[in-house]
Amino acid sequence: MTSPQPSDVPPIADWNRLLDGKVAVVTGGGDGIGGAISRLFAQHGATVEIAEIDSDRAETTRAAIEAAGGTAFVHIVDVRKPDDVARLAEAVLGKHGSIDVLVNNVGDFRPIVRFQDSNVESWQAMYEINLLHFFSVTQAFINSMMRNGGGSIVNFHSVEGMRGYPGEPVYASMKAAVGHFTTSLAVTMGRYGIRVNGIGPDLTQTPQVDYMTGYEDAEHLWPSWAPVGRLGWPEDQARVALFLASDLSSYVTGHNIPVDGGSKAGGGWFYSPTARRFVNRPKTL
Ligand SMILES: NC(=O)c1ccc[n+]([C@@H]2O[C@H](COP(=O)([O-])OP(=O)(O)OC[C@H]3O[C@@H](n4cnc5c(N)ncnc54)[C@H](O)[C@@H]3O)[C@@H](O)[C@H]2O)c1
């Protein structure tokens, strides 16, 4: 039996430019976690193709990347719409032929509908914003990645897909499905040089999830809310995405990493008799 040769491990030419010369598509890449990913990937040498529904957010991030000396392009799309996904793929593949990195990042827990009040329309809406486009966007790009000899796919879901989430079981189910799509696709695609991994965020301050407003008088309680003792920021998520997108993780595939300050490990949800609901940051119980 021969030992693995060092040449099996992709060399890192420049640790400050981990995605040098790569093409990366980031859905929802205009703001929040996606915005931080677009900026960090561009800083590391990637050409970033921002697929974003909000033109102001997309343009703000594109301009910030350009001002910092990076390269990014904007595609105004709603990833829930198959025609928009086809237009995105046509534009990106028409320009580059293939891509190296795909970050499926769009998702939303809103509006929260208690399961007992939910209906087929609310289930469909949760499906379209949290799961359907993971299939459609991935399929739109994966054939080119297979032809090109590989790539990395990073799927954002949620810690709520990795533990019981009392607030919205349908949302949690969609997120769990993204995690399992990730695991299964990784096994299918490994032989083509395509790695597929997932990130389950929690407790991260973004336009969608505002952990600060209304909690100004309770900042001192962060140690009881997150084992690492602080609020998370989009940059915390982007660093893990960079690891998974780059050759730093060349032997990692099929995994789902909670990026949550330890909330999954610590449990996280408490039933408050006074509030009479499940809360994840109790001021009092
Ligand atoms: N922030 C957290 O703590 C947290 C926790 C759990 C899971 N997540 C997941 O992480 C991902 C990113 O979350 P975030 O907090 O940064 O969200 P966000 O809403 O703050 O940002 C999402 C970005 O995607 C864009 N977008 C929304 N719908 C789109 C669509 N249909 N097509 C194209 N672009 C669209 C938005 O304009 C925005 O720029 C989501 O999948 C979310 O469910 C976040």
Side-chain angles (χ1 to χ4, degrees):
M1 188 172 146
T2 55
S3 305
Q5 298 301 303
S7 59
D8 290 342
V9 182
I12 306 283
D14 184 344
W15 289 78
N16 294 314
R17 309 263 306 170
L18 290 168
L19 297 176
D20 216 13
K22 305 286 189 190
V23 176
V25 171
V26 183
T27 71
D31 209 337
I33 291 168
I37 290 170
S38 297
R39 294 191 298 273
L40 186 62
F41 282 17
Q43 183 189 324
H44 275 268
T47 295
V48 180
E49 302 284 350
I50 298 171
E52 170 62 58
I53 199 169
D54 184 312
S55 56
D56 289 344
R57 289 174 166 183
E59 179 51 29
T60 300
T61 294
R62 191 206 62 76
I65 288 171
E66 189 178 87
T71 306
F73 300 94
V74 164
H75 307 267
I76 303 305
V77 292
D78 180 343
V79 292
R80 292 170 297 186
K81 297 182 177 167
D83 288 353
D84 284 20
V85 172
R87 180 164 52 80
L88 169 71
E90 199 180 321
V92 172
L93 297 178
K95 184 166 33 166
H96 303 289
S98 183
I99 66 168
D100 304 288
V101 177
L102 170 61
V103 180
N104 288 309
N105 163 69
V106 168
D108 207 311
F109 69 94
R110 300 165 297 184
I112 284 192
V113 182
R114 301 297 163 197
F115 185 71
Q116 55 271 36
D117 303 321
S118 65
N119 54 44
V120 70
E121 284 79 25
S122 65
W123 305 332
Q124 183 68 23
M126 276 293 159
Y127 167 62
E128 290 182 11
I129 195 67
N130 288 302
L131 180 57
L132 172 65
H133 62 87
F134 285 77
F135 305 147
S136 60
V137 177
T138 301
Q139 200 199 42
F141 288 103
I142 205 157
N143 284 296
S144 75
M145 289 172 122
M146 290 166 75
R147 279 196 304 273
N148 204 32
S152 175
I153 299 172
V154 182
N155 291 328
F156 272 83
H157 39 89
S158 174
V159 156
E160 311 307 359
M162 306 168 94
R163 68 182 178 196
Y165 176 41
E168 229 297 11
V170 176
Y171 166 82
S173 304
M174 300 303 164
K175 294 298 195 181
V178 172
H180 200 65
F181 174 57
T182 300
T183 306
S184 302
L185 191 69
V187 181
T188 311
M189 289 295 156
R191 71 188 61 195
Y192 298 102
I194 301 171
R195 296 182 300 102
V196 192
N197 292 286
I199 291 176
D202 193 17
L203 300 178
T204 300
Q205 181 70 21
T206 65
Q208 181 183 145
V209 194
D210 181 5
Y211 283 102
M212 298 169 84
T213 306
Y215 283 82
E216 294 84 352
D217 59 341
E219 290 286 309
H220 61 287
L221 290 178
W222 268 106
S224 74
W225 300 334
V228 302
R230 68 166 173 86
L231 174 65
W233 294 95
E235 288 71 17
D236 290 309
Q237 305 290 335
R239 290 179 184 190
V240 182
L242 176 65
F243 165 72
L244 293 174
S246 72
D247 284 340
L248 286 182
S249 60
S250 57
Y251 208 53
V252 179
T253 198
H255 291 286
N256 291 293
I257 303 177
V259 181
D260 61 351
S263 68
K264 178 173 179 292
W269 284 100
F270 309 91
Y271 187 72
S272 165
T274 46
R276 293 169 65 194
R277 64 188 174 92
F278 286 93
V279 291
N280 66 350
R281 291 169 296 155
K283 291 180 175 175
T284 56
L285 284 179

